[in-house]
């Protein structure tokens, strides 16, 4: 049986101020529309014929083992749609993908994969998300095999080990894409090139669209590549943090994407101390542009881009008052 038949047919923020409520108001509706569209569960996909057999035994961030190829870092953020798309801390994330020749570990010696790698466990790993919903893996750039575009498998569980989502990550394609450049890199052992490659549009898994499964990839052959991707799951409800809604309301920044200035809407039910922290997708704190007392009512926090690099960031707002300490996070995009 062919595999395809088995599958389904930074930086710094300055100039923070309390802005006039009317500032950029005309763009607020479109920003909310974009935010609502983004905060939906990522497509569910097949685990494929080669899922990790005992993932709990492979808790590691470096999954290279004995494989060779172009250096590759995988950064995945898990967001919870049941918590206003805040980062989901404590989620368990398994990933697995093929090597540069298109082979998977833990399988083989059959018609689906001739090379027998049943005794190997390369390019498979498990990590638990941090406070920013982030897991990172050190790997090598995947190759491809007949019937499939380049991809990574992901299985997300909650902290108790209950499955939340099985999905796959798609890769950008095109003449100068990482996929094309890596597969032309014979010096690194990629010998297939792109002849016979199955593109996303013709892939049985991705042919229905990859709008919420498409990753962002940066880097080079020499320096290695970095993949960044966000996955949305239906995780646990806010629980105790639902009380935050009685204390403050955090809106999506607008405009989003950010070009020069963005506004973070914040409504306080009582006077409170408010801090805003900005993180990159590696989980690194970029800046704390505000940490001060604000009055009850509507506040619009204005942040200048000031040379911030293009890409996705997380802003976390912490409100401290007589009712306790509450936090919420949102993702924003800088063009």
């Amino acid at each position: 049986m062919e595999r395809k038949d088995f599958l389904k047919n930074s930086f710094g923020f300055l100039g923070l101020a309390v802005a006039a409520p009317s500032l950029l108001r005309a763009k607020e509706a479109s920003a909310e529309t974009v935010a609502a569209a983004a905060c939906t569960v990522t497509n569910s996909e097949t685990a494929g014929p080669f899922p990790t057999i005992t993932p709990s035994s492979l808790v590691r961030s470096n999954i290279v083992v004995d494989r060779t190829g172009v250096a590759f870092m995988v950064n995945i953020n898990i967001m919870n749609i049941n918590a206003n798309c805040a980062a989901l801390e404590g989620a368990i994330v398994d990933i697995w993908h093929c090597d540069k020749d298109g082979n998977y570990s833990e399988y083989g010696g059959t018609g689906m994969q001739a090379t027998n790698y049943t005794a190997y466990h390369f390019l498979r790993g498990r990590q638990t998300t941090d406070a920013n919903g982030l897991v990172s893996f050190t790997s090598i750039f995947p190759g491809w095999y007949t019937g499939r575009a380049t991809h990574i498998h992901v299985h997300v569980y909650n902290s108790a080990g209950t499955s939340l989502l099985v999905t796959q990550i798609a890769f950008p394609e095109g003449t100068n894409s990482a996929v094309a450049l890596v597969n032309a890199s014979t010096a690194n052992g990629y010998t297939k090139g792109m002849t016979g490659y199955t593109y996303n549009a013709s892939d049985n898994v991705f042919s229905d669209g990859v709008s919420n499964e498409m990753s962002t990839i940066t880097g080079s052959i020499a320096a290695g590549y970095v993949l960044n991707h966000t996955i949305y799951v239906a995780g646990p409800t806010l629980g105790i943090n639902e009380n935050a809604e009685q204390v403050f309301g955090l809106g999506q920044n607008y405009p989003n994407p950010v070009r020069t200035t963005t506004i973070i809407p914040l409504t306080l039910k009582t006077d409170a101390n408010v801090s805003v922290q900005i993180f990159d997708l590696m989980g690194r704190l970029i800046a704390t542009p505000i940490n001060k007392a604000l009055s009850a009512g509507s506040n619009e926090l204005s942040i200048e881009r000031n040379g911030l690099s293009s890409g996705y960031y997380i802003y976390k707002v912490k409100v401290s008052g007589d009712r306790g300490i509450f936090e919420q996070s949102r993702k924003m995009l800088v063009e």
Side-chain angles (χ1 to χ4, degrees):
M1 178 186 293
E2 289 292 326
R3 292 177 179 174
K4 63 181 178 180
D5 295 327
F6 184 96
L7 301 171
K8 71 174 190 178
N9 288 330
S10 283
F11 317 154
F13 281 79
L14 301 173
L16 184 79
V18 177
S22 60
L23 183 60
L24 298 177
R25 180 67 69 189
K27 298 183 180 180
E28 184 171 10
S30 60
E32 290 175 349
T33 300
V34 172
C39 194
T40 57
V41 174
T42 299
N43 285 0
S44 174
E45 303 290 3
T46 176
F50 306 116
T52 303
I53 295 173
T54 311
S56 61
S57 68
L58 298 176
V59 177
R60 58 191 182 185
S61 60
N62 188 324
I63 63 174
V64 175
V65 190
D66 65 339
R67 297 296 92 179
T68 59
V70 173
F72 192 47
M73 175 68 72
V74 178
N75 299 317
I76 302 172
N77 282 84
I78 306 299
M79 301 298 180
N80 182 8
I81 69 162
N82 290 328
N84 297 318
C85 276
L88 180 56
E89 183 177 6
I92 300 167
V93 181
D94 295 333
I95 75 166
W96 64 99
H97 65 78
C98 69
D99 66 9
K100 62 181 175 57
D101 300 311
N103 293 311
Y104 285 89
S105 62
E106 301 189 350
Y107 296 86
T110 68
M112 297 188 70
Q113 180 176 295
T115 308
N116 191 339
Y117 283 122
T118 54
Y120 294 77
H121 305 281
F122 54 76
L123 307 181
R124 298 177 183 272
R126 165 174 286 193
Q127 285 287 285
T128 300
T129 57
D130 64 14
N132 299 305
L134 176 70
V135 291
S136 296
F137 297 89
T138 301
S139 190
I140 57 102
F141 202 96
W144 58 272
Y145 50 88
T146 301
R148 289 304 317 274
T150 305
H151 64 282
I152 294 175
H153 295 268
V154 183
H155 194 160
V156 183
Y157 307 80
N158 67 15
S159 59
T162 301
S163 178
L164 297 177
L165 180 70
V166 179
T167 188
Q168 298 186 26
I169 301 175
F171 285 53
E173 299 169 338
T175 303
N176 293 314
S177 66
V179 168
L181 296 175
V182 168
N183 281 292
S185 181
T186 55
N188 288 287
Y190 294 81
T191 59
K192 291 184 176 181
M194 297 296 286
T195 301
Y197 180 82
T198 301
Y199 287 87
N200 290 325
S202 300
D203 186 303
N204 285 335
V205 172
F206 294 143
S207 58
D208 59 347
V210 292
S211 60
N212 63 13
E213 295 170 293
M214 181 58 68
S215 60
T216 299
I217 299 178
T218 58
S220 66
I221 296 289
Y225 286 95
V226 177
L227 177 148
N228 290 303
H229 185 55
T230 300
I231 294 174
Y232 296 87
V233 300
T237 57
L238 286 173
I240 191 170
N241 287 330
E242 289 176 340
N243 293 325
E245 296 180 0
Q246 302 176 21
V247 177
F248 74 100
L250 176 64
Q252 181 69 41
N253 69 294
Y254 66 92
N256 189 30
V258 181
R259 294 182 177 86
T260 57
T261 303
T262 194
I263 303 297
I264 300 177
L266 178 68
T267 302
L268 297 175
K269 301 296 178 67
T270 62
D271 296 349
N273 191 81
V274 175
S275 68
V276 178
Q277 293 179 308
I278 309 298
F279 298 86
D280 66 14
L281 292 188
M282 292 291 290
R284 296 173 296 202
L285 177 63
I286 303 302
T288 304
I290 189 170
N291 188 3
K292 61 186 294 185
L294 292 176
S295 299
S298 297
N299 297 275
E300 295 202 338
L301 310 178
S302 177
I303 297 176
E304 302 296 326
R305 175 176 179 169
N306 285 340
L308 187 70
S309 299
S310 298
Y312 284 98
Y313 295 86
I314 303 295
Y315 60 89
K316 180 167 69 174
V317 176
K318 179 187 291 186
V319 174
S320 305
D322 56 8
R323 298 187 185 181
I325 300 174
F326 302 91
E327 298 179 349
Q328 287 189 18
S329 301
R330 295 282 190 277
K331 183 174 70 171
M332 68 178 181
L333 173 63
V334 175
E335 283 193 340

